[in-house]
Amino acid sequence: MKMRPILWLFLPAALLLAAFIVLPSFDLFRASVFDPEFSTKHFQRLFERGVYLDVMWRTIRVSLAVAVLCTVIGYPVAFFINLQPRRRQTILLFLILIPMWMSILIRTYAWIVVLGRDGLVNEALAALGFTTEPVQMLFTSGAVLAAMVQILLPIQILTCYAAMTEIDLDLIRAARVLGARPRQALARVFLPLSLDGTLTGLVIIFMLSMGFFITPALLGGRQDRMIANLIEFQVQRLNWSFAAALGVVLLVLTVAMIVLLRAGGRMLARRILKGGL
Amino acid sequence: MKHTKLALGTAALLALAQPAFAQDQVLTIAGSGGVVKEITEKVFLPAFEETTGWKTKFIAAESNILLEVRTMLASGKMLYDAMEVSAANYPIGVKDDLLAPIDYDLLDPDGELPEQAKKEFGVVAAAYSTVLVQRTDKNPEGRKMESWADFWDVETFPGPRSLNPQPQYTLEFALLADGVAREDLYDVLGTEEGLDRAFAKLDEIKPHIPVWWSSGAQSVQLLSDGEVFYSSTYNGRVAKLQESGIPAEIVWNGGALHTSYVGIPKNAPNYEAAHDWIRVRTMRPDLELEYVKQLPYPNFAPGLFDAMPEDVAKTMPTYPANADVQFVANDTFWAENLDEIRERFDEWLLE
């Protein structure tokens, strides 16, 4: 068999994918329907008991919220950096990268110090006379959301920034010369051009959030469990087939949501291109 | 799976066969490795050899001691004379008929051992407790928790609490708080209504539990950070907490006493001599004191606490005043019912 030499470059990635993604996924599917005989009982249990549906729905909600918050905060930051002189851009990007180099575990523990009953925020509130009793901030959904946004935000800033550096700023100037007001130039020229990169960042963050484990486990209460926590819980209990079924559901949900987000994003892009915001 | 078992068993047989044939008066004892093995070899084995004239061979059965015993029984040659039996293994050993009954007329003719120490197929070798711990600095002025009912009383004792997210020893605490007597716990828990009652009681406390601890270390961390004021935990952890300057105190009342045992496998070749070993391992306060100094897992050796400094003694789960107010965790009950109850408990947690 003769192969075009360039195709050989593809081989390492294909092998890697087959060994570490395709085969294990297949194994996961198999484990979820064999225990040890073929049975769909694990999926039935998943969809019949309200609690598991609640957890799935919550995982999607939290992940969407994190992705949207990261975008709302990250986009202007990236825009601001993009406008700075070259040297200052490097410094600012470096500052954003530093926290990313720290492990998620450490950053999550840091939030415990910040949000605890004897933590920084509560002590500050008490010192300023706002509260007499410590406010329960740890083990709440707010704590999980704040920490997840803080942990994932650099990714969105960097993705947006990368998309923005591609845009020729002369296009904005051209729009201004042709009579567009600054806001118009931004909404009708800059925004659509940066939209694709922003959407990519949003989808990446959504995807990462869907599988988040440490942060909800350490900062959340019982009501903040996500699918990944449920999977770990079942693995600990040696209910491996049930854990596999949960894994399959997580995979399917994530892929389905990504498709939806992408389609939604494209529709939005078309609307903006046609008539502006 | 079958092959692994077979291979394991054969390996164990080969390892043991030689010395067992070579010498007659050798008692073979199986137990944990590591620190336990070290201390056992230093403290108990020489004492046994001195008093009986027997030699000993201590095997650290690291993997699965019941599996080994099962294989030896199937092969028709039991090579262990005595063995350590963990709390979780005991009911399985009894159910699967792997253990020989203890002859208490032979072991303890004068009845020196307290009833708590004596099980049909094993004698208590070590004990620890799951207890209620309180941060005394967080208690309301002049009041202290004294029971699980107090733990449930959020009016008198406001503040966040924590419990273990596993049904065993959490459901019992709920029933105790609901007024069930210690001796009736497992009868009540064994009925559908009793189980409902425990869960109903847990419903009451659920909103006051911001976090459920999943390891002993975490329970202590939460208390130390002040994230929770009250929690269940293992008694051995509390000393560490106090050493770090946290004002914490154990409420022994309603604690769950867990025990591990020393027993005799079925068809053991030296049944009578094994009793001599059990006597040395469980009834000699002088030796036990040496052991407890290094590992705070005491047993019911008669007079152990007379020899112990009072302040140390009071921190032991089997100190009479402490043991008397606790219930003995029923591992047989949990071996039979855990799977079913745990599923309900897990889903209750998520609700």
Side-chain angles (χ1 to χ4, degrees):
Chain A
M1 193 178 75
K2 276 199 95 166
M3 208 145 93
R4 294 233 322 267
I6 194 88
L7 278 180
W8 288 106
L9 296 175
F10 178 69
L11 195 66
L15 283 177
L16 217 61
L17 269 179
F20 294 107
I21 306 284
V22 181
L23 287 180
S25 303
F26 181 74
D27 213 39
L28 186 76
F29 277 107
R30 197 188 44 72
S32 68
V33 287
F34 284 96
D35 184 22
E37 301 287 305
F38 178 82
S39 150
T40 55
K41 65 175 180 213
H42 298 297
F43 286 99
Q44 277 167 13
R45 178 173 165 201
L46 253 173
F47 290 106
E48 275 164 13
R49 304 287 180 100
V51 283
Y52 298 113
L53 295 177
D54 285 349
V55 175
M56 286 180 225
W57 175 224
R58 179 188 310 132
T59 307
I60 294 178
R61 241 173 25 222
V62 170
S63 303
L64 268 181
V66 170
V68 168
L69 276 172
C70 281
T71 307
V72 171
I73 302 169
Y75 190 88
V77 175
F79 185 72
F80 171 79
I81 295 175
N82 192 38
L83 290 183
Q84 301 304 309
R86 194 88 213 138
R87 265 182 64 95
R88 205 180 292 162
Q89 283 190 19
T90 320
I91 298 170
L92 287 172
L93 285 176
F94 181 70
L95 288 178
I96 284 163
L97 274 171
I98 292 176
M100 267 188 83
W101 292 334
M102 272 174 242
S103 97
I104 292 181
L105 186 64
I106 291 171
R107 280 184 280 167
T108 301
Y109 268 118
W111 278 98
I112 295 183
V113 178
V114 173
L115 297 179
R117 292 182 70 90
D118 301 329
L120 291 174
V121 176
N122 263 319
E123 277 185 0
L125 285 177
L128 293 171
F130 288 122
T131 55
T132 47
E133 279 280 294
V135 183
Q136 179 80 49
M137 285 181 282
L138 223 49
F139 315 123
T140 64
S141 309
V144 176
L145 209 60
M148 282 176 74
V149 168
Q150 188 254 335
I151 287 166
L152 294 169
L153 184 58
I155 297 177
Q156 181 62 312
I157 295 177
L158 292 177
T159 323
C160 287
Y161 171 81
M164 286 173 190
T165 50
E166 299 286 306
I167 300 172
D168 190 345
L169 288 178
D170 283 342
L171 288 174
I172 306 253
R173 230 161 276 145
R176 294 279 284 131
V177 169
L178 290 172
R181 283 188 304 270
R183 189 173 296 178
Q184 267 180 317
L186 208 63
R188 308 217 21 204
V189 179
F190 192 84
L191 192 66
L193 286 173
S194 62
L195 197 68
D196 209 42
T198 308
L199 201 63
T200 306
L202 188 128
V203 168
I204 291 176
I205 289 178
F206 176 80
M207 213 170 69
L208 291 172
S209 300
M210 286 291 283
F212 245 54
F213 169 71
I214 292 173
T215 310
L218 287 179
L219 300 180
R222 175 182 43 76
Q223 72 286 353
D224 299 308
R225 289 288 130 89
M226 290 172 57
I227 295 184
N229 303 106
L230 221 55
I231 292 176
E232 187 261 359
F233 198 71
Q234 297 298 338
V235 168
Q236 294 267 330
R237 297 281 198 264
L238 300 179
N239 297 335
W240 291 351
S241 287
F242 189 56
L246 281 165
V248 169
V249 166
L250 176 59
L251 191 67
V252 170
L253 273 183
T254 309
V255 171
M257 285 299 295
I258 288 173
V259 171
L260 267 176
L261 281 175
R262 282 240 157 251
R266 266 199 300 278
M267 261 169 58
L268 187 70
R270 266 203 298 278
R271 289 259 317 264
I272 290 174
L273 276 178
K274 259 191 214 149
L277 276 175
Chain B
M1 202 51 204
K2 274 234 165 76
H3 293 292
T4 329
K5 279 182 191 173
L6 209 63
L8 256 175
T10 318
L13 288 173
L14 285 175
L16 294 170
Q18 239 177 340
F21 283 121
Q23 263 179 328
D24 250 347
Q25 301 279 311
V26 173
L27 197 79
T28 310
I29 304 153
S32 329
V35 192
V36 173
K37 178 175 195 254
E38 236 170 73
I39 303 177
T40 306
E41 281 179 338
K42 205 169 69 193
V43 177
F44 295 112
L45 295 187
F48 171 76
E49 291 179 359
E50 247 169 64
T51 47
T52 59
W54 280 57
K55 294 263 171 278
T56 53
K57 188 169 173 58
F58 191 87
I59 313 281
E62 297 283 3
S63 55
N64 186 337
I65 197 164
L66 287 187
L67 186 60
E68 289 179 14
V69 169
R70 216 170 260 146
T71 321
M72 290 180 198
L73 272 175
S75 76
K77 177 136 185 73
M78 173 54 62
L79 296 163
Y80 295 155
D81 291 305
M83 60 194 271
E84 290 170 9
V85 187
S86 71
N89 272 346
Y90 182 83
I92 304 172
V94 173
K95 203 169 65 183
D96 295 357
D97 200 19
L98 305 174
L99 299 171
I102 306 289
D103 183 347
Y104 282 100
D105 292 334
L106 190 64
L107 179 78
D108 180 26
D110 304 328
E112 288 175 69
L113 271 175
E115 281 308 311
Q116 285 151 302
K118 298 196 267 194
K119 284 246 190 174
E120 196 180 349
F121 296 93
V123 180
V124 172
Y128 69 97
S129 292
T130 307
V131 288
L132 165 53
V133 182
Q134 55 185 329
R135 280 277 302 255
T136 45
D137 55 331
K138 307 281 189 187
N139 277 335
E141 199 58 40
R143 299 213 55 157
K144 266 186 186 177
M145 278 197 184
E146 280 162 10
S147 67
W148 288 106
D150 287 342
F151 185 88
W152 255 257
D153 181 358
V154 292
E155 304 275 302
T156 318
F157 298 94
R161 295 136 152 81
S162 188
L163 285 170
N164 184 276
Q166 300 219 55
Q168 65 272 48
Y169 326 126
T170 293
L171 287 178
E172 284 103 318
F173 298 153
L175 284 179
L176 285 172
D178 206 28
V180 175
R182 272 181 288 142
E183 55 274 19
D184 300 336
L185 275 179
Y186 293 96
D187 290 338
V188 175
L189 216 48
T191 65
E192 204 54 45
E193 306 84 67
L195 205 56
D196 291 344
R197 185 174 167 187
F199 275 102
K201 194 67 183 173
L202 279 172
D203 282 337
E204 285 176 27
I205 202 72
K206 204 178 189 182
H208 305 278
I209 299 189
V211 56
W212 296 72
W213 61 269
S214 48
S215 69
Q218 193 195 0
S219 66
V220 173
Q221 184 67 46
L222 291 168
L223 284 163
S224 160
D225 290 346
E227 284 306 326
V228 302
F229 302 169
Y230 312 104
S231 180
S232 60
T233 193
Y234 307 122
N235 74 289
R237 298 273 175 180
V238 181
K240 292 262 184 298
L241 196 62
Q242 290 161 337
E243 276 165 27
S244 66
I246 305 291
E249 207 175 284
I250 291 178
V251 180
W252 291 102
N253 186 20
L257 195 59
H258 315 258
T259 41
S260 69
Y261 313 91
V262 49
I264 304 171
K266 220 178 170 193
N267 299 343
N270 300 298
Y271 181 76
E272 283 192 20
H275 281 78
D276 292 332
W277 160 250
I278 295 177
R279 194 176 303 116
V280 168
R281 179 62 190 82
T282 64
M283 294 179 65
R284 287 271 301 268
D286 53 331
L287 303 175
E288 187 61 21
L289 194 58
E290 277 305 301
Y291 183 84
V292 172
K293 273 183 194 162
Q294 298 169 73
L295 272 178
Y297 303 145
N299 62 20
F300 291 98
L304 170 63
F305 286 96
D306 303 336
M308 214 186 281
E310 188 68 10
D311 54 324
V312 180
K314 278 183 174 162
T315 66
M316 297 283 162
T318 51
Y319 181 67
N322 297 339
D324 287 348
V325 294
Q326 298 181 69
F327 66 92
V328 178
N330 188 335
D331 296 306
T332 314
F333 175 84
W334 285 116
E336 280 162 10
N337 299 296
L338 183 60
D339 287 343
E340 200 180 313
I341 295 181
R342 188 154 66 183
E343 198 172 313
R344 177 170 174 185
F345 194 88
D346 289 351
E347 288 178 0
W348 174 85
L349 273 177
L350 289 169
E351 272 160 17

